[in-house]
């Protein structure tokens, strides 16, 4: 019984690692689309085409993201803002956004 529990825990941990790896691929695709948007002006269309492709849907699914149209539109909106993923995920950026929301509400 203990071997079964250890094996299940190991498999779950491996699954989490794989999900994180695929999430990193999604973040890289977003960064590439943002770079394309700055250079060519077609970033949102690029990320939408990728997310709707077979490979894109597979990567999104493996990252734990349901590849539906709502997700595609969210990815397009994110790329349209032009904020790199490393900046968007940083603490300073989230604090800046929170301060801007507080100022808007007041």
């Amino acid at each position: 019984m203990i071997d079964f529990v250890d094996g299940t825990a190991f498999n779950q941990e491996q699954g989490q690692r794989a999900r994180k790896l695929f999430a990193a691929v999604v973040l890289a695709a977003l960064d590439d689309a943002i770079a394309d948007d700055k250079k060519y002006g077609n970033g949102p269309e690029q990320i939408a085409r990728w997310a709707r492709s077979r490979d894109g849907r597979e990567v999104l699914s493996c990252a734990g993201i349901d590849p539906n149209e709502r997700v595609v539109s969210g990815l397009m909106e994110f790329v349209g803002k032009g904020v790199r993923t490393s900046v968007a995920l940083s603490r300073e950026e989230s604090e800046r956004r929170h301060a801007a929301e507080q100022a808007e509400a007041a």
Side-chain angles (χ1 to χ4, degrees):
M1 182 66 174
I2 290 176
D3 290 337
F4 173 74
V5 172
D6 287 343
T8 303
F10 177 77
N11 288 339
Q12 199 270 340
E13 183 179 329
Q14 291 295 95
Q16 291 294 352
R17 287 182 187 164
R19 186 170 286 123
K20 287 179 184 179
L21 177 67
F22 281 104
V25 172
V26 172
L27 293 176
L30 285 169
D31 278 343
D32 289 347
I34 291 168
D36 281 351
D37 194 38
K38 290 181 180 178
K39 193 170 186 181
Y40 305 113
N42 66 347
E45 293 83 17
Q46 289 286 41
I47 197 68
R49 188 175 334 142
W50 175 80
R52 290 178 181 132
S53 71
R54 182 184 303 175
D55 290 339
R57 288 192 317 262
E58 184 74 22
V59 169
L60 288 169
S61 294
C62 290
I65 302 168
D66 185 23
N68 57 35
E69 279 303 309
R70 182 172 176 226
V71 169
V72 172
S73 64
L75 293 173
M76 291 174 68
E77 181 182 331
F78 184 84
V79 170
K81 290 180 182 177
V83 179
R84 307 279 296 191
T85 57
S86 58
V87 174
L89 295 174
S90 70
R91 177 178 292 177
E92 293 88 16
E93 178 66 15
S94 67
E95 289 172 354
R96 185 192 64 77
R97 271 186 276 149
H98 182 68
E101 288 173 1
Q102 293 296 329
E104 248 180 46

